[in-house]
């Protein structure tokens, strides 16, 4: 495993572990023991960056992470998130986004509650979860972040952009107006925008980036077909069928990346070719993913020719004609 700098005195593994996959029920069901075991297996494979949120399972994900890795706390980097109203449940359905709640009393409580659930005295990276422009312009909120940093309760702070793949304006504005140590975004070989623009801003501001969804929701793991049926609790079941069909056809053009690595490893190598990216958060949901993805860090980099070919394919939509059935669900 190789390691990169995320912020001052914060070195993280190039491959990280986002524990939403094993604690929210959106990517399969895991017992507490199974989830904890995967955290330990990730650590044993050299992974030191663990990302969670107080909103995942209403704090459950933080508890699992804290308990699973308590004895190696000083050897890992913990990132968590804040800013949502965890008490707002009325009328909320499935994965529908919660309302934010970022008054100072609420965020102070968020911080103390996260520290308690994680069983630690400091959070290494505290991220404002899916902020809007008004949050980024809130001077009192960021003054509190600076205060928490000065007190030692957090070591650094940043933002996690989302919930979907956009949020270019928010990301650029945050990097240009706030002293962010890290910005988390969705970015991958198939979905390069607005990530390319965000990376350009990060280079100008010196901000390190954290990439989630590096395999395009599993598409770049190479295991999907046009006939794939997702389980009922899998969030991909609600995607347009065109996402599945077009994605599989695009993946078919990428075999030139897999002569000495799997497609899943190639997707990570493509991201790690950019030094502005500090770490990646592939969806880890079993030992097989830990073994495969952790090993990607040790592989030689992709060649300039391979990177250039990917760029040309992207500009041509990988030679795939967009389908018209955007409203038809994958497994309707």
């Amino acid at each position: 495993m190789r390691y990169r700098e995320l912020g001052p005195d914060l070195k993280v593994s190039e491959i990280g572990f986002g524990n939403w996959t094993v604690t929210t029920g959106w990517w399969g069901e895991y017992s507490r023991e199974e989830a904890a075991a995967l955290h330990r297996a990730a650590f044993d494979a050299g992974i030191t960056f663990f990302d969670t949120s107080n909103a995942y399972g209403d704090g459950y994900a933080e508890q699992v992470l804290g308990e699973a890795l308590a004895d190696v706390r000083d050897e890992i980097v913990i990132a968590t998130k804040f800013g949502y109203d965890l008490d707002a449940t009325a009328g909320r359905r499935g994965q529908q986004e919660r309302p934010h709640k970022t008054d100072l009393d609420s965020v102070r409580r968020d911080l103390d509650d996260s520290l308690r659930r994680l069983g630690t005295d400091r959070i290494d990276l505290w991220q404002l979860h899916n902020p809007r422009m008004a949050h980024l312009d809130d001077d009192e909120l960021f003054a509190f972040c600076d205060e928490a940093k000065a007190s030692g309760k957090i070591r650094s702070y940043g933002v996690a952009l989302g919930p979907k793949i956009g949020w270019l304006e928010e990301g650029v504005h945050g990097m240009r107006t706030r002293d962010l140590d890290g910005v988390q975004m969705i970015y991958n070989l198939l979905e390069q925008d607005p990530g390319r623009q965000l990376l350009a801003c990060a280079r100008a501001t010196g901000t390190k980036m954290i990439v989630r969804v590096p395999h395009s929701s599993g598409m770049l793991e190479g295991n999907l077909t046009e006939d794939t049926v997702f389980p009922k609790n899998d969030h991909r079941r609600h995607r347009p069928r065109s996402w599945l069909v077009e994605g599989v056809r695009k993946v078919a053009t990428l075999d030139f990346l897999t002569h000495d690595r799997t497609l899943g490893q190639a997707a990570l190598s493509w991201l790690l070719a950019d030094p502005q990216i500090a770490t990646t958060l592939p969806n880890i949901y079993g030992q097989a993913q830990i073994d495969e993805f952790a090993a990607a860090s040790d592989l030689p980099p992709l060649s300039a020719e391979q990177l250039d070919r990917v760029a040309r394919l992207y500009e041509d939509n990988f030679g795939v004609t967009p389908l018209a059935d955007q409203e038809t669900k994958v497994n309707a």
Side-chain angles (χ1 to χ4, degrees), residues 55-121:
Y56 299 163
D58 293 339
Y60 170 71
E62 290 181 326
Q63 292 176 4
V64 172
L65 195 165
E67 292 168 5
L69 300 171
D71 61 324
V72 293
R73 174 63 186 96
D74 293 338
E75 300 175 57
I76 63 173
V77 173
I78 293 178
T80 193
K81 308 180 190 77
F82 72 100
Y84 278 126
D85 184 355
L86 301 191
D87 296 325
T89 58
R92 183 169 170 266
R93 299 175 57 192
Q95 298 173 31
Q96 184 179 8
E97 189 179 12
R98 303 169 186 267
H100 283 88
K101 193 171 185 180
T102 57
D103 62 276
L104 294 191
D105 286 342
S106 295
V107 297
R108 186 176 288 109
R109 184 167 57 252
D110 280 350
L111 177 54
D112 289 339
D113 286 347
S114 287
L115 288 167
R116 174 179 50 79
R117 286 189 292 259
L118 288 163
T120 186
D121 61 352

Side-chain angles (χ1 to χ4, degrees), residues 293-304:
F293 301 154
S297 177
D298 295 323
L299 295 172
L302 295 177
S303 68

Side-chain angles (χ1 to χ4, degrees), residues 221-241:
E221 292 180 38
N223 301 319
L224 304 182
T225 72
E226 294 185 21
D227 299 316
T228 294
V229 176
F230 296 106
K232 287 185 178 180
N233 64 342
D234 192 307
H235 70 285
R236 294 171 294 179
R237 187 180 183 91
H238 306 290
R239 298 250 186 152
R241 176 161 175 76

